[in-house]
Amino acid sequence: MKRYETLIYSTVGVVALLIILVLANFVLAAFKQRVDFTEGGLYTVSQGTRSIIEKLDAPVKIRFYYTQSEQNVPLPIKGFARRVEDLLGAFKSASGGKVVIEKLDPQPDSDAEDSATLEGVEAQVMQSGDKFYLGLSISYADQKLALPALSMDREQLLEYDLARAIARATRTDKPVIGVMSPMPLFGSRGIPQMGVPPADKQVLVSELERDFTVRRVAADATSIDDSIKVLLVVNPRGMSDETEYALDQYVVRGGKMIAMLDPYAYFDVPPGAQQGGTTSTFDHMLKAWGLTMDTTKVVQDMKFLSGAGARQMSTVLSFNSEAFNKDDVSTSKLGFTMFPIVGAFTGTPAAGLKQTVLIRSSTFSQLTDSSNAVTQGEASVRGFKPSGTEYPIAIRLSGKFKSAFPDGVPVAKDKPAAKPPAKAAGKADAKAEPVKPIPAHVAEGKDENSVVLIADSDFINDGAAVNIQEIFGQRIVVPANSNLSFAQALIEQFAGDPALIELRTRAIAARPFTVIREMEAQAAQAYVGKLKELEDSLQKTQERLQSLQKSSMPGAGTILTAEQQKEVEAFRKNAAETRRELKLVRRDLRADSEALQFWTKVVNIGLLPLLVALFGIGLGMQRRRKVVTI
Amino acid sequence: MMGTWPVINTIAKRELSAYFESPVAYVFLVVFLLLAGFFTFSLGGFFELGEASLNSFFTWMPWLFLFLVPAVGMRLWSEERRLGTIELLLTMPVTTWQAIIAKFLASWAFLAIALALTFPVVITVNWLGDPDNGVIIAGYVGSWLLAGTFLSIACLTSALTRNQVIAFILSLMLCLLLILVGFAPVTTMLSRFADIWLVDTIASFSVLTHFEGFQKGVLDTRDLLFFFSVMAFSLFTTGVVLRSHRAG
């Protein structure tokens, strides 16, 4: 009897424990704590967010709209929604009560749904046709904004999006950013008659409009208004002296300019042209500042090249942290960036100006003619000789700027007016700067100022910087790299909210195998010369062969002399040899890197098991010997 | 009666060194390391991913442990039951609980050694690039907890039967169940038949769900609580089973 009682008691005990543990797990989930071990603190609220939250004078109310009880929401989205809630919780605890979170479930036809619509939170539509809500609205005092549709693809930027929304909601003024470019960055309807396709508004412009007042500056402006805090000049092709004077004076008066010049603007297809590749530079200003950017040359870099094999492009540069300035806020924590076809700044800054290089090429680089800009594969690297120079691609000049036009306003020369493509794009005039009288000439800046110069305008283009996807009926923009982060960091550095800079660049971090990449770069560099030699020799041999055969067949049926036949044979043999050598060299190119991968695998898979086995056998033998001697 | 901890300590140490006297332990270590390496580099596409991280290594851990941990745990109690040495063990001034915990800790320590021996892959990935070492540490902690969880289940099944093979199969099935209820293809399929909240709840019983946080680099108390709960439950039930056998 006792036996049975004990047994029942114990079984009951087991079941009871099970129930207790299950309940404990569910209940204690509310008191969860997390420790974030990631190097970037990817899952905790960063210092930047904290500093934004600390500046709050009044509470910020965040309404989290999530259709929790919707049956058909895919499980990964549910997991994502959980993580969003986790992050909101982290914001709340970092704020000490200043951030208040309210959670709502917008069921169809409920008050919550009406509230969502009112506040700008949008439904996301699934394939089944059902819709769900996953968005936020942020209110502070009388300001209200929304993150209408949160997407998993942007999960890494969630903290940034949220912190930025809070910063925006609490900001009383929005600095003015001017954008000057002949390219249709603001979007355009296009001109079908002239074969100009319509263009979408560039993502960079849309992103800037969320934080700043963005004003369009005419590409032929003759003066820049001082209310513009930061001026972005993008590929100012065909710029007149008058306009360059306007920029010069803007800088001398203390305006902050970020200029993107380009020896080969891949994405700039002027009306009537078939393809891109325009150039832009500052004729006067660069010279006055002691610098040059050769508009006929682009940078080829064997370390930072993109693509592989036949699709390899050594002029499209994928920069990783080794190319960036580690000490500057705008570049210190950048992930990787992609700059398609860039120039380089050479020269020494003029007296009184200091140059800080933000992005530079590797020493395995050279300047090549811009006609070589879009060649792919081996053909593009024939004759490559590393310059040993780290070419500055993006720089900041600081100091007291002197006007590049010592004689004042340039007299309008009788040049054929370059058609301002801003007008051709259609929408320009409505938003362009109204013509103002030119202010008095200033010869030298009173205070220290800074200018950022970048030898590429393509990197901010949608084609290089983002991937745009349609998910659940929403247009989701996902950064493909840190390009936009970099541009925005520069702008914000000048416009003044440093906290957001740290946040943004944290989010995107690629960690490649740098050792392998370097190996391949070095190998390519070592073999490129040999390859060229062999290919040249092969070509010559083939030409000689052809000419021999031609010369010996002026008409049909002519027979070669014995000597000529011998020559032809010799040449054929030579050609075959050379081709074989070429194959070997191409194979050797990858040999080092492949050997590394092979031996890494061998060591990692086999070494320790082997050691353990040997140790075990050794121990076993030792023991046996002991037993025997006893 | 001696204090609890020194008793456990003594037994555990004895068990652990006993491991290394038998060739089985070495075979296990060699197989574990070979498979871990093979899964990471060949199947896991370590180089193909192009990323300096141990993602491909940790992704395979649950599946690797699924087969290997029951193999370690199966002999824990069924061997003793078969040889009849349990009675001997339990007549000593040792409580059932102390014995259970001691044996469990010894085996868990052995699994920790196995995990530690994978260190070359950490050195390799740090040499090849600049990985996030915090994530790697979290991954190892999670792997060790996962191993402990499976081990506790293996303890239970080995106490239920004299036959090691049956113990192995039983624990394999239970561990597999714990994996599958949170395995993406399975949850997607289940969600077609059952309510989402139900599938969700079931998935929260899965080791995969709770291992995910560690793989990302986050130590979450919910995940810790889950793993320790399973271990506590399994070990308690082991005790109940052993006591009932002893009584009978």
Side-chain angles (χ1 to χ4, degrees):
Chain A
M1 277 297 121
K2 244 199 195 154
R3 198 193 311 164
Y4 281 102
E5 275 176 53
T6 322
L7 187 65
I8 291 169
Y9 177 69
S10 293
T11 312
V12 167
V14 166
V15 173
L17 182 63
L18 182 63
I19 295 174
I20 291 172
L21 285 175
V22 170
L23 283 179
N25 269 270
F26 279 112
V27 166
L28 291 178
F31 299 100
K32 64 182 183 292
Q33 287 294 314
R34 304 172 79 174
V35 179
D36 187 339
F37 274 70
T38 60
E39 269 171 23
L42 293 175
Y43 301 98
T44 27
V45 163
S46 72
Q47 189 49 48
T49 307
R50 269 180 232 269
S51 57
I52 289 176
I53 295 176
E54 269 157 33
K55 285 189 224 148
L56 295 175
D57 298 321
V60 168
K61 183 184 231 166
I62 300 181
R63 282 219 179 94
F64 178 43
Y65 290 94
Y66 171 44
T67 331
Q68 190 161 22
S69 36
E70 167 56 51
Q71 301 270 353
N72 296 314
V73 173
L75 271 171
I77 304 271
K78 289 202 150 225
F80 174 53
R82 246 195 310 269
R83 295 194 290 274
V84 174
E85 234 189 303
D86 281 350
L87 186 63
L88 288 175
F91 267 70
K92 183 170 163 190
S93 35
S95 73
K98 284 193 226 168
V99 171
V100 174
I101 316 271
E102 195 187 320
K103 194 170 161 191
L104 292 134
D105 184 351
Q107 286 297 298
D109 297 327
S110 65
D111 288 337
E113 190 184 27
D114 291 336
S115 169
T117 320
L118 251 160
E119 301 197 322
V121 173
E122 291 161 5
Q124 304 186 40
V125 186
M126 298 178 279
Q127 268 183 342
S128 58
D130 294 312
K131 57 180 189 180
F132 68 94
Y133 289 84
L134 183 58
L136 303 168
S137 89
I138 296 119
S139 353
Y140 178 79
D142 57 346
Q143 288 250 56
K144 201 179 276 225
L145 336 124
L147 291 180
L150 299 175
S151 160
M152 275 213 293
D153 291 306
R154 262 185 94 90
E155 183 174 356
Q156 281 183 310
L157 292 175
L158 188 58
E159 187 189 350
Y160 167 68
D161 286 339
L162 195 50
R164 180 174 64 174
I166 293 177
R168 251 198 307 148
T170 58
R171 187 150 45 184
T172 43
D173 68 340
K174 276 203 213 176
V176 179
I177 309 288
V179 178
M180 174 197 271
S181 178
M183 295 166 63
L185 303 178
F186 286 83
S188 78
R189 264 176 277 135
I191 309 171
Q193 309 91 308
M194 284 184 69
V196 178
D200 281 330
K201 182 191 278 191
Q202 291 282 304
V203 170
L204 177 64
V205 174
S206 306
E207 291 285 297
L208 290 177
E209 281 174 342
R210 289 160 84 159
D211 296 317
F212 305 103
T213 307
V214 181
R215 218 184 281 168
R216 197 165 177 172
V217 176
D220 59 352
T222 48
S223 82
I224 309 292
D225 201 72
D226 280 332
S227 64
I228 292 182
K229 186 134 191 222
V230 180
L231 179 67
L232 206 58
V233 180
V234 183
N235 193 33
R237 74 171 131 83
M239 184 174 63
S240 65
D241 283 351
E242 288 84 9
T243 308
E244 194 178 347
Y245 176 72
L247 296 179
D248 168 83
Q249 287 292 290
Y250 175 72
V251 170
V252 168
R253 289 197 308 267
K256 300 269 190 278
M257 177 173 74
I258 299 174
M260 297 176 196
L261 310 172
D262 213 325
Y264 192 100
Y266 178 80
F267 290 108
D268 182 20
V269 185
Q274 302 291 70
Q275 58 175 41
T278 59
T279 66
S280 58
T281 185
F282 288 152
D283 293 319
H284 299 267
M285 285 195 280
L286 282 184
K287 199 158 88 175
W289 297 337
L291 301 173
T292 333
M293 186 189 81
D294 190 335
T295 50
T296 62
K297 294 263 186 283
V298 299
V299 176
Q300 259 185 330
D301 194 319
M302 296 307 282
K303 180 168 177 179
F304 294 125
L305 50 70
S306 312
R311 316 275 296 282
Q312 169 184 297
M313 284 196 78
S314 52
T315 51
V316 173
L317 308 183
S318 293
F319 292 120
N320 61 28
S321 57
E322 293 175 44
F324 305 138
N325 185 325
K326 293 210 179 3
D327 300 319
D328 197 271
V329 172
S330 63
T331 49
S332 62
K333 291 199 194 129
L334 273 187
F336 98 94
T337 58
M338 201 242 313
F339 280 68
I341 310 168
V342 313
F345 295 106
T346 48
T348 333
L353 294 179
K354 195 181 66 139
Q355 173 177 294
T356 311
V357 177
L358 300 173
I359 301 181
R360 57 183 176 272
S361 73
S362 73
T363 48
F364 289 130
S365 63
Q366 72 168 11
L367 294 178
T368 185
D369 201 86
S370 56
S371 59
N372 211 6
V374 286
T375 334
Q376 294 185 357
E378 281 169 23
S380 66
V381 291
R382 279 204 202 123
F384 179 87
K385 278 196 193 57
S387 63
T389 318
E390 289 180 326
Y391 292 106
I393 313 288
I395 60 175
R396 181 187 298 116
L397 284 179
S398 316
K400 286 214 181 123
F401 286 85
K402 288 198 186 78
S403 173
F405 295 84
D407 302 325
V409 186
V411 176
K413 299 194 188 106
D414 277 332
K415 276 195 247 176
K419 244 186 290 192
K423 288 215 179 90
K427 289 189 191 159
D429 294 289
K431 286 198 181 158
E433 281 263 277
V435 179
K436 276 197 178 143
I438 301 174
H441 177 81
V442 180
E444 184 175 343
K446 267 184 290 165
D447 304 308
E448 287 237 341
N449 196 5
S450 294
V451 170
V452 169
L453 295 171
I454 304 175
D456 180 53
S457 64
D458 298 311
F459 78 100
I460 51 158
N461 194 287
D462 285 354
V466 298
N467 290 320
I468 301 179
Q469 298 164 20
E470 285 275 325
I471 301 182
F472 298 132
Q474 293 282 329
R475 183 174 176 263
I476 306 284
V477 171
V478 180
N481 45 46
S482 295
N483 286 11
L484 290 190
S485 295
F486 176 54
Q488 286 169 300
L490 289 171
I491 293 168
E492 270 169 7
Q493 215 176 10
F494 276 170
D497 201 334
L500 279 178
I501 296 174
E502 192 218 308
L503 266 179
R504 184 188 294 106
T505 58
R506 225 160 49 90
I508 307 165
R511 296 175 182 267
F513 289 123
T514 48
V515 169
I516 295 183
R517 278 226 184 154
E518 266 195 43
M519 241 185 197
E520 289 178 351
Q522 278 178 331
Q525 184 250 316
Y527 284 108
V528 140
K530 192 96 202 328
L531 262 176
K532 180 177 193 310
E533 245 183 73
L534 287 172
E535 279 175 352
D536 282 347
S537 140
L538 184 64
Q539 210 175 5
K540 269 194 210 117
T541 310
Q542 280 175 331
E543 280 170 9
R544 291 293 296 276
L545 205 59
Q546 276 177 349
S547 69
L548 253 185
Q549 287 174 324
K550 270 205 209 116
S551 68
S552 59
M553 295 200 299
T558 315
I559 307 169
L560 296 165
T561 66
E563 229 185 74
Q564 282 172 325
Q565 263 183 330
K566 268 211 200 118
E567 262 200 273
V568 169
E569 271 307 305
F571 275 123
R572 279 221 184 95
K573 253 205 208 149
N574 198 345
E577 275 268 338
T578 317
R579 248 179 253 129
R580 211 164 37 85
E581 268 197 75
L582 260 176
K583 263 202 206 133
L584 286 174
V585 171
R586 280 202 195 101
R587 201 192 58 191
D588 287 343
L589 256 178
R590 299 206 61 92
D592 278 344
S593 144
E594 278 176 4
L596 173 69
Q597 291 187 26
F598 175 74
W599 285 109
T600 306
K601 280 190 198 174
V602 166
V603 167
N604 276 284
I605 297 177
L607 180 65
L608 230 46
L610 186 66
L611 289 179
V612 168
L614 287 177
F615 179 76
I617 293 173
L619 213 64
M621 287 190 347
Q622 209 182 34
R623 204 158 286 138
R624 198 160 300 159
R625 223 177 292 136
K626 267 201 202 150
V627 172
V628 166
T629 48
I630 285 176
Chain B
M1 183 110 98
M2 287 154 66
T4 309
W5 183 240
V7 170
I8 294 179
N9 213 356
T10 318
I11 301 180
K13 274 204 206 131
R14 192 203 62 181
E15 284 283 322
L16 188 57
S17 42
Y19 263 113
F20 288 102
E21 280 161 24
S22 126
V24 179
Y26 296 97
V27 171
F28 170 85
L29 285 176
V30 168
V31 171
F32 173 73
L33 292 173
L34 276 176
L35 285 180
F38 177 67
F39 283 163
T40 306
F41 286 94
S42 298
L43 282 183
F46 179 75
F47 283 111
E48 289 75 358
L49 274 180
E51 230 184 54
S53 78
L54 288 185
N55 278 337
S56 40
F57 175 71
F58 288 118
T59 306
W60 290 101
M61 275 297 139
W63 302 98
L64 208 52
F65 284 150
L66 174 66
F67 287 93
L68 295 175
V69 173
V72 169
M74 69 186 183
R75 48 166 283 290
L76 276 182
W77 290 105
S78 37
E79 188 72 9
E80 308 250 6
R81 285 195 61 191
R82 194 172 64 82
L83 293 177
T85 53
I86 284 193
E87 286 69 20
L88 191 64
L89 174 69
L90 295 178
T91 53
M92 293 196 229
V94 164
T95 67
T96 316
W97 301 114
Q98 287 169 337
I100 293 174
I101 291 176
K103 276 176 161 282
F104 172 76
L105 286 181
S107 304
W108 205 12
F110 175 70
L111 290 173
I113 291 173
L115 267 178
L117 288 175
T118 62
F119 71 84
V121 79
V122 177
I123 296 177
T124 303
V125 82
N126 266 288
W127 175 63
L128 284 177
D130 176 29
D132 188 332
N133 283 309
V135 173
I136 292 176
I137 293 174
Y140 271 105
V141 171
S143 299
W144 187 57
L145 289 172
L146 179 63
T149 308
F150 282 175
L151 182 65
S152 64
I153 294 173
C155 267
L156 174 57
T157 60
S158 81
L160 286 170
T161 165
R162 267 176 258 241
N163 190 323
Q164 286 192 41
V165 176
I166 294 180
F168 175 80
I169 294 175
L170 215 54
S171 64
L172 184 92
M173 279 167 43
L174 284 174
C175 294
L176 184 62
L177 185 67
L178 281 186
I179 291 181
L180 288 182
V181 290
F183 190 44
V186 173
T187 53
T188 316
M189 190 196 69
L190 281 179
S191 59
R192 277 192 225 130
F193 305 113
D195 278 346
I196 286 290
W197 71 265
L198 186 63
V199 180
D200 226 10
T201 311
I202 293 175
S204 70
F205 281 90
S206 167
V207 293
L208 280 191
T209 311
H210 295 278
F211 186 54
E212 210 188 294
F214 292 101
Q215 278 178 298
K216 282 206 297 230
V218 177
L219 239 70
D220 192 320
T221 50
R222 287 174 296 185
D223 298 332
L224 287 174
L225 184 62
F226 171 79
F227 285 130
F228 284 120
S229 299
V230 178
M231 286 190 245
F233 176 74
S234 305
L235 293 179
F236 174 77
T237 314
T238 307
V240 168
V241 170
L242 286 179
R243 285 174 79 117
S244 75
H245 288 316
R246 177 194 212 175

